[in-house]
Amino acid sequence: MKRYIIFIMAFLLVIVPNKAGATIPGNTIIAKSDKDNITVYAKKMGSLYRDFKIDFKGKVYSRPFWINDTNPSYAPQIYYEDINKDEKKELIIILTKGYGTGVLEEEVYVYKNTNGLIDVLVDNPMAIIYKNVKTKLSTQKAEVSLGDKVSIVDITPLKIRPSNLFEDIGFGSIIDYEVKDNQLIAKIPGQISPAGYIGEIVIVYEFIDKMYQAKSIEFQPADL
């Protein structure tokens, strides 16, 4: 009888999903959406969280290679919204791998829920910029071209010394994702010196050919 009871308990541990609110031994809760029953766990290793687990509505999925900074201000962001207009919600998780003065490195992961979480590819915002944006920089102005649209920013109000000015406008030190109005958006500021920003590229994604690609891309000049 005792063996039978032990067998039944072991069997239940294998097939019963993680109960809502239950913890995962050895892991810390680092992000949570109570209204959607989604919890993100990870293990703290130095200044980073690693070995992630996603408790998605009672089922646990492992993501061992994810990393996120341990600063609570940069905890993973969880969204559960319909961003591909199919009337079904997607899970979007935004991680912060690093941050600092003039630096913010975020990664985004999107999943559709079809008998479990399935990864959906998101086009790299830097690849989108390299394919669509042309730039020029002088000591007087910064020029950003997107197709036929050319934006010219007078940089003289920034009073940047020529020795501190970059050779060209740089993108990529800051990659900031957000979900707004059921759309995935990436914002990538343009940098002309270690502390000089002239605006940002804003990419709005849409679901095309089984992945998220740029629906629109525009440059929004800063108010210098």
Side-chain angles (χ1 to χ4, degrees):
M1 184 66 178
K2 185 181 291 187
R3 289 182 181 179
Y4 177 75
I5 293 172
I6 293 172
F7 173 77
I8 291 296
M9 290 178 65
F11 182 70
L12 289 172
L13 286 172
V14 171
I15 68 169
V16 175
N18 196 45
K19 293 182 180 179
T23 60
I24 297 177
N27 289 260
T28 301
I29 296 175
I30 60 172
K32 193 172 185 180
S33 175
D34 287 324
K35 67 183 180 69
D36 297 312
N37 192 13
I38 302 167
T39 305
V40 176
Y41 299 82
K43 293 179 180 178
K44 186 176 180 180
M45 301 181 185
S47 63
L48 294 173
Y49 285 116
R50 301 178 184 270
D51 193 14
F52 278 67
K53 289 180 174 59
I54 307 166
D55 184 340
F56 178 75
K57 301 185 180 299
K59 293 183 179 180
V60 179
Y61 301 83
S62 294
R63 292 297 180 267
F65 303 112
W66 283 9
I67 62 173
N68 197 95
D69 197 275
T70 56
N71 187 330
S73 298
Y74 295 93
Q77 302 169 56
I78 301 172
Y79 297 92
Y80 191 50
E81 299 184 19
D82 179 13
I83 62 169
N84 67 1
K85 309 301 186 290
D86 67 349
E87 299 183 356
K88 297 178 181 179
K89 293 182 178 182
E90 287 73 47
L91 172 63
I92 306 100
I93 296 178
I94 300 172
L95 304 178
T96 300
K97 297 174 64 177
Y99 70 96
T101 303
V103 176
L104 178 65
E105 186 181 1
E106 291 187 345
E107 283 187 343
V108 65
Y109 295 90
V110 178
Y111 297 92
K112 63 179 181 179
N113 182 19
T114 307
N115 297 321
L117 295 181
I118 299 175
D119 293 78
V120 184
L121 185 65
V122 178
D123 202 2
N124 189 304
M126 292 306 300
I128 295 171
I129 289 174
Y130 290 144
K131 287 186 290 186
N132 293 277
V133 178
K134 295 181 179 179
T135 60
K136 293 180 182 179
L137 181 62
S138 71
T139 57
Q140 303 295 317
K141 63 183 180 180
E143 184 176 307
V144 179
S145 300
L146 271 166
D148 296 331
K149 185 176 181 179
V150 180
S151 299
I152 297 176
V153 179
D154 177 12
I155 66 170
T156 55
L158 294 175
K159 299 179 180 179
I160 299 173
R161 294 180 180 178
S163 59
N164 292 332
L165 200 65
F166 294 161
E167 291 185 3
D168 202 350
I169 303 170
F171 296 96
S173 293
I174 296 175
I175 298 177
D176 186 15
Y177 291 99
E178 65 178 29
V179 176
K180 184 177 181 181
D181 298 326
N182 294 99
Q183 293 181 311
L184 176 62
I185 300 170
K187 295 181 178 180
I188 304 92
Q191 191 173 5
I192 60 173
S193 74
Y197 293 89
I198 47 90
E200 62 187 8
I201 298 291
V202 178
I203 300 169
V204 178
Y205 286 90
E206 69 176 338
F207 190 67
I208 307 172
D209 297 331
K210 300 182 179 180
M211 65 178 291
Y212 288 92
Q213 303 183 46
K215 173 185 178 181
S216 65
I217 175 172
E218 67 172 327
F219 174 70
Q220 296 180 354
D223 185 13
L224 302 182

